[in-house]
């Protein structure tokens, strides 16, 4: 059933609407509810295919569902419609204004409505797809402060990596943080690249979500083979930022294992035809982030490598 | 006056972006004024430019106090300004959400780091700020209510001689701004909001320049005579009343920034954008002064169309 989550009048003959698709079966009092949320950033589209596939599978085998799955494919419909990462006509990143406000601007009221709608769910999966600059392997990101509670769920999602990262105050205004402090266990998924859909990643995550539902006792339908992710417990994450300006040409495959000293790519100057920077892996490990957009300034992130575990 | 490049960044096909600091006097790092961090903060850059022009003359006349120095950085983002973009040209990130910066990080983190290293040790810091809402403000100065409360920081709000001094409780997204980090580093930091952002108002520019000069005089950094400005009303930002639109359409304002209104006065009408009839009327919820007015013609439901500072808090 399609339900409105937030509605507001736009200036000329149109309403702003955020919708969710509620798929339910055997949903009596006390049943479990899982929310799948995406489209906070209008240029991140991988979640679109995940939502579509999940809705299709659940609807086709609805009798095997026990509980409620709410699918929110677009928290920022105006952004998706206009190839805009942010909320159009609003300066702040939409994922920096949660939990929102009933008396704020449109984006803040929307954020409030979304939180209010999800509140009380057993779990939430917040799907992101990096940005147009970087390609990511399917991964779950959890903060150090929530890792103890969330890690056991993160590994169910059929991703390749679970990255436990340091907390930062500025991240306290994300959807995930706002839901986690309300008791809604929320996992942030990052995968693929902005403005594109990577079908095999999406299918992988759909299998993971079905597995999570199965583990929660909400899904008795078919589930695929679920991989065991690498977990960044004590391993170092190397950030490789460009020190030069130019055009980045990758030299290693995204998602591959690289050895210390391997060439990850090079930055070239097309005007004079020279390599201005050769980017080498500082350590051996998993190349889980790789730059997709070629133009770089000094400081542009080129790659991230999770160092091999010293424990083997 | 000394003119120095305090940070430089190169681009593939553009000339280097050199962030320039203009220093007056010598000795203690007394006060730093930062202008545009965003590409559309034209008024903020223009205020700094006029301030530099004025300080040149004051320095020539020996008006900078001995052992004190002032640095003005009029623009830290002309790559964006020259292409009419508010945020960083390549990745649309906001330098003013990157402080204190990181020298091994992303481009705008590196710019923030380079800038912050040069300015963090000043005793006083003034940022010519712009707000994320579209509209016109009464000129005011603001401090963040951080944990490192310093009585002098709040008391000095009145030294600018602007009509309002606001104290803001920081939100998580404020923690990466210049103002917040300046204060965390022990600087007495202020954000000065002029009326406009993309438009240079002659009067508002002069008002802001005079406010900074008045502050420098009050702190003994320059020796000069200037009228004391206005009586400053200091209040917590949360006491300002937001007036939201409950209809969407064409905004027809009946009052403007700075006007005094009584409870029940008609502030604006919302006109049906296709049929021309009035579909909403917004009245003032209180007696007070119009502090902010939205300046776009079209309004969305929930738009913050006016902010009113009440005459009293009871």
């Amino acid at each position: 059933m399609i339900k409105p989550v937030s509605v507001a009048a736009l200036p000329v003959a149109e309403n702003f609407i955020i919708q969710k698709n509620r798929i339910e079966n055997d949903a009596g009092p006390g049943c479990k509810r899982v929310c799948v949320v995406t489209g906070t950033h209008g240029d991140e589209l991988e979640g679109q295919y995940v939502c579509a596939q999940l809705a299709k599978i659940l609807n086709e085998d609805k009798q095997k569902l026990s509980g409620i799955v709410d699918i929110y494919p677009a928290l920022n419909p105006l952004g998706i419609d206009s190839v805009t990462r942010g909320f159009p006509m609003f300066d702040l990143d939409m994922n920096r204004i949660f939990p929102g406000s009933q008396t704020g601007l449109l984006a803040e009221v929307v954020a409030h409505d979304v939180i209010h709608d999800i509140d009380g769910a057993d779990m939430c999966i917040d799907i992101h797809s990096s940005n147009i600059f970087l390609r990511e392997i399917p991964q779950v990101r959890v903060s150090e402060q929530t890792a103890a509670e969330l890690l056991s769920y993160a590994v169910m999602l059929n991703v390749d990596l679970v990255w436990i990262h340091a907390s930062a105050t500025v991240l306290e205004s994300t959807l995930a943080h706002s839901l986690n402090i309300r008791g809604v266990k929320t996992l942030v998924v990052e995968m693929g690249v902005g403005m594109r859909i990577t079908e095999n990643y999406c299918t992988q995550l759909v299998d993971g979500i079905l597995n999570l539902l199965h583990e929660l006792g909400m899904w008795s339908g078919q589930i695929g083979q679920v991989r065991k992710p690498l977990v960044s417990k004590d391993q170092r994450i190397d950030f490789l930022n460009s020190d030069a300006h130019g055009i980045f040409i990758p030299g290693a495959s995204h998602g591959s294992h690289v050895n210390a000293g391997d060439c990850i790519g090079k930055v070239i100057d097309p005007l004079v035809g020279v390599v201005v920077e050769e980017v080498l892996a500082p350590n051996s490990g998993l190349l889980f982030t790789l730059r997709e957009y070629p133009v770089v300034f000094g400081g542009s992130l080129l790659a991230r490598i999770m160092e091999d575990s010293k424990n083997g | 006056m000394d003119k120095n490049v305090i940070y430089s960044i190169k681009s593939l096909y553009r000339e280097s972006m050199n962030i320039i600091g203009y220093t007056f006097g010598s000795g203690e790092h007394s006060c730093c004024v930062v202008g545009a961090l965003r590409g559309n903060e034209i008024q903020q850059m223009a205020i700094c430019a006029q301030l530099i022009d004025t300080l040149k003359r004051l320095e020539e006349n020996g008006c900078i106090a001995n052992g004190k120095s002032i640095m003005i950085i009029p623009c830290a983002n002309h790559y964006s300004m020259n292409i009419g973009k508010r945020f960083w040209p390549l990745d649309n990130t906001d330098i003013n959400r990157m402080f204190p910066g990181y020298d091994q990080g992303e481009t705008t983190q590196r710019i923030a780091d380079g800038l912050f290293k040069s300015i963090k040790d000043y005793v006083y810091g003034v940022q010519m700020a712009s707000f994320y809402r579209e509209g016109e403000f009464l000129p005011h100065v603001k401090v963040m209510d951080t944990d490192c409360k310093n009585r002098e920081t709040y008391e000095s709000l009145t030294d600018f001689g602007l009509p309002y001094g606001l104290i803001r409780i920081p939100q998580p997204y404020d923690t990466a701004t210049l103002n917040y980090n300046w204060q965390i580093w022990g600087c007495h930091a202020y954000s000065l909001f002029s009326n406009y952002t993309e438009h240079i108002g002659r009067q508002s520019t002069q008002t802001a320049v005079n406010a900074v000069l008045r502050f420098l005089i009050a702190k003994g950094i320059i020796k000069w005579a200037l009228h004391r400005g206005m009586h400053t009303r200091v209040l917590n930002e949360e006491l300002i009343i937001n007036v939201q639109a409950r209809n969407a359409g064409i905004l027809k304002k009946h009052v403007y920034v700075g006007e005094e209104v009584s409870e029940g006065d008609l502030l604006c009408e919302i006109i049906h954008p296709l049929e021309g009839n009035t579909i909403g009327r917004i009245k003032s919820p209180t007696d007070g002064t119009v502090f902010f007015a939205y300046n776009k013609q079209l309004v969305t439901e929930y738009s913050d169309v006016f902010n009113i500072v009440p005459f009293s808090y009871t």
Side-chain angles (χ1 to χ4, degrees):
Chain A
M1 182 189 291
I2 308 301
K3 292 185 171 186
V5 173
S6 186
V7 180
L10 294 173
V12 187
E14 182 188 358
N15 281 314
F16 170 94
I17 308 174
I18 291 180
Q19 301 177 99
K20 71 175 178 184
N21 182 1
R22 169 159 287 191
I23 303 170
E24 60 185 318
N25 185 53
D26 191 20
C31 75
K32 288 188 173 154
R33 176 160 66 101
V34 168
C35 300
V36 177
V37 178
T38 193
T40 309
H41 296 129
D43 62 350
E44 298 181 15
L45 303 177
E46 305 275 9
Q48 299 301 304
Y49 192 66
V50 174
C51 289
Q53 288 299 100
L54 187 63
K56 178 173 181 288
I57 292 167
L58 294 178
N59 277 321
E60 284 176 355
D61 253 342
K62 202 190 279 186
Q63 73 283 0
K64 292 175 179 166
L65 176 68
S66 176
I68 299 169
V69 176
D70 281 333
I71 299 174
Y72 305 70
L75 294 196
N76 179 8
L78 300 180
I80 291 175
D81 196 60
S82 58
V83 204
T84 308
R85 183 171 178 80
F87 198 101
M89 300 184 293
F90 184 69
D91 234 15
L92 301 175
D93 184 335
M94 192 181 174
N95 208 22
R96 297 288 181 275
I97 58 167
F98 287 98
S101 162
Q102 258 181 310
T103 57
L105 304 179
L106 175 59
E108 295 167 304
V109 172
V110 166
H112 169 270
D113 290 346
V114 168
I115 289 280
H116 185 73
D117 202 75
I118 297 173
D119 208 1
D122 295 275
M123 287 215 70
C124 178
I125 300 156
D126 180 16
I127 304 169
H128 292 259
S129 38
S130 185
N131 51 38
I132 63 166
F133 302 102
L134 302 167
R135 180 176 284 279
E136 302 282 356
I137 64 170
Q139 60 198 265
V140 175
R141 293 183 184 171
V142 295
S143 67
E144 285 169 345
Q145 66 192 107
T146 57
E149 188 173 18
L150 296 181
L151 186 56
S152 59
Y153 297 100
V155 298
M156 295 174 188
L157 275 180
N158 197 30
V159 292
D160 298 300
L161 171 68
V162 177
W163 180 6
I164 301 170
H165 61 82
S167 304
T169 309
V170 73
L171 297 179
E172 288 174 9
S173 42
T174 60
L175 173 66
H177 181 89
S178 299
L179 289 173
N180 275 312
I181 60 171
R182 279 169 173 72
V184 180
K185 297 182 193 71
T186 301
L187 299 169
V188 176
V189 175
E190 283 280 2
M191 63 179 197
V193 64
M195 294 191 186
R196 296 288 180 272
I197 286 177
T198 314
E199 194 174 341
N200 56 324
Y201 286 175
C202 297
T203 306
Q204 183 180 334
L205 182 61
V206 170
D207 285 344
I209 295 170
L210 292 172
N211 179 55
L212 178 78
L213 295 175
H214 172 77
E215 295 287 343
L216 293 173
M218 294 175 65
W219 177 245
S220 56
Q222 200 170 5
I223 51 170
Q225 187 74 26
V226 174
R227 64 190 73 190
K228 187 180 173 193
L230 287 170
V231 179
S232 69
K233 279 183 178 158
D234 53 355
Q235 292 102 310
R236 173 192 167 92
I237 305 284
D238 289 311
F239 286 64
L240 279 61
N241 295 77
S242 177
D243 286 321
H245 51 280
I247 300 294
F248 177 68
I249 308 295
S253 297
H254 178 230
S256 66
H257 181 273
V258 294
N259 294 313
D262 282 357
C263 178
I264 303 300
K266 55 194 173 184
V267 179
I268 60 171
D269 181 342
L271 185 63
V272 291
V274 297
V275 174
V276 291
E277 183 179 7
E278 192 170 15
V279 184
L280 304 178
N283 292 293
S284 300
L286 175 67
L287 179 63
F288 70 92
T289 304
L290 188 62
R291 191 166 186 87
E292 181 84 6
Y293 191 79
V295 177
V296 297
F297 275 93
S300 295
L301 186 61
L302 305 177
R304 280 187 282 237
I305 297 171
M306 189 177 81
E307 191 183 335
D308 290 337
S309 171
K310 291 186 170 54
N311 300 322
Chain B
M1 180 188 79
D2 284 333
K3 181 177 166 184
N4 295 301
V5 175
I6 60 171
Y7 190 77
S8 183
I9 186 162
K10 292 179 177 172
S11 148
L12 186 54
Y13 295 121
R14 298 175 69 173
E15 287 189 293
S16 295
M17 184 180 93
N18 296 323
I19 300 175
I20 298 170
Y22 296 80
T23 304
F24 302 87
S26 60
E28 176 199 73
H29 287 178
S30 307
C31 185
C32 178
V33 181
V34 174
L37 293 177
R38 288 138 176 176
N40 69 335
E41 292 180 341
I42 298 163
Q43 162 100 337
Q44 288 67 26
M45 178 177 69
I47 292 165
C48 286
Q50 192 166 318
L51 194 55
I52 288 167
D53 192 47
T54 305
L55 286 171
K56 274 188 228 170
R57 289 198 300 276
L58 291 176
E59 188 174 48
E60 284 165 9
N61 290 310
C63 296
I64 311 291
N66 285 335
K68 306 277 186 185
S69 73
I70 307 155
M71 181 158 73
I72 315 288
I73 301 168
C75 182
N77 192 357
H78 31 290
Y79 266 177
S80 297
M81 198 166 275
N82 287 336
I83 59 169
K85 211 175 159 194
R86 180 161 164 83
F87 298 131
W88 188 247
L90 184 61
D91 59 11
N92 212 37
T93 52
D94 183 358
I95 295 172
N96 201 30
R97 294 278 183 271
M98 294 294 166
F99 288 96
Y102 176 43
D103 63 357
Q104 299 298 306
E106 288 267 9
T107 307
T108 44
Q109 288 177 304
R110 292 184 183 204
I111 294 169
D113 171 77
L115 185 60
F116 199 61
K117 276 179 179 155
S118 298
I119 64 178
K120 66 183 171 55
D121 295 326
Y122 277 79
V123 179
Y124 302 102
V126 181
Q127 182 187 0
M128 297 296 160
S130 69
F131 206 52
Y132 67 90
R133 286 183 291 167
E134 300 267 9
E136 188 179 341
F137 284 93
L138 276 181
H140 62 281
V141 63
K142 191 183 289 188
V143 296
M144 295 272 191
D145 188 11
T146 61
D147 289 338
C148 45
K149 289 182 176 72
N150 187 309
R151 196 183 167 98
E152 187 198 338
T153 307
Y154 301 112
E155 289 176 350
S156 300
L157 279 168
T158 58
D159 290 337
F160 292 88
L162 291 173
Y164 293 97
L166 303 184
I167 299 168
R168 174 178 172 80
I169 297 168
Q171 301 298 305
Y173 58 77
D174 288 318
T175 59
T177 61
L178 171 59
N179 185 304
Y180 183 91
N181 283 279
W182 240 342
Q183 204 169 144
I184 295 294
W185 253 254
C187 173
H188 303 284
Y190 304 89
S191 293
L192 199 155
F193 289 80
S194 189
N195 300 59
Y196 313 107
T197 302
E198 297 184 13
H199 167 75
I200 300 173
R202 204 166 103 181
Q203 182 60 48
S204 60
T205 300
Q206 193 61 56
T207 299
V209 168
N210 286 351
V212 176
L213 293 173
R214 215 174 275 126
F215 180 77
L216 295 173
I217 293 166
K219 296 301 174 193
I221 299 168
I222 62 174
K223 294 175 288 181
W224 198 43
L226 186 67
H227 62 87
R228 297 183 65 179
M230 299 180 75
H231 169 75
T232 305
R233 185 170 169 203
V234 176
L235 69 158
N236 290 320
E237 192 181 46
E238 62 205 32
L239 295 172
I240 295 175
I241 295 172
N242 297 339
V243 181
Q244 279 184 321
R246 287 299 181 185
N247 305 89
I250 293 171
L251 176 66
K252 184 178 176 186
K253 285 190 278 194
H254 290 267
V255 297
Y256 294 89
V257 159
E259 285 186 39
E260 294 185 353
V261 292
S262 300
E263 183 177 345
D265 281 356
L266 183 63
L267 300 176
C268 68
E269 292 174 81
I270 310 292
I271 309 296
H272 192 293
L274 303 179
E275 298 168 15
N277 53 303
T278 298
I279 53 176
R281 288 184 175 83
I282 299 178
K283 294 180 177 176
S284 179
T286 186
D287 298 346
T289 305
V290 179
F291 180 76
F292 163 81
Y294 189 66
N295 66 358
K296 296 282 184 185
Q297 294 291 273
L298 295 179
V299 288
T300 300
E301 188 179 359
Y302 301 117
S303 292
D304 209 358
V305 283
F306 293 102
N307 290 171
I308 311 280
V309 180
F311 291 144
S312 68
Y313 306 135
T314 53

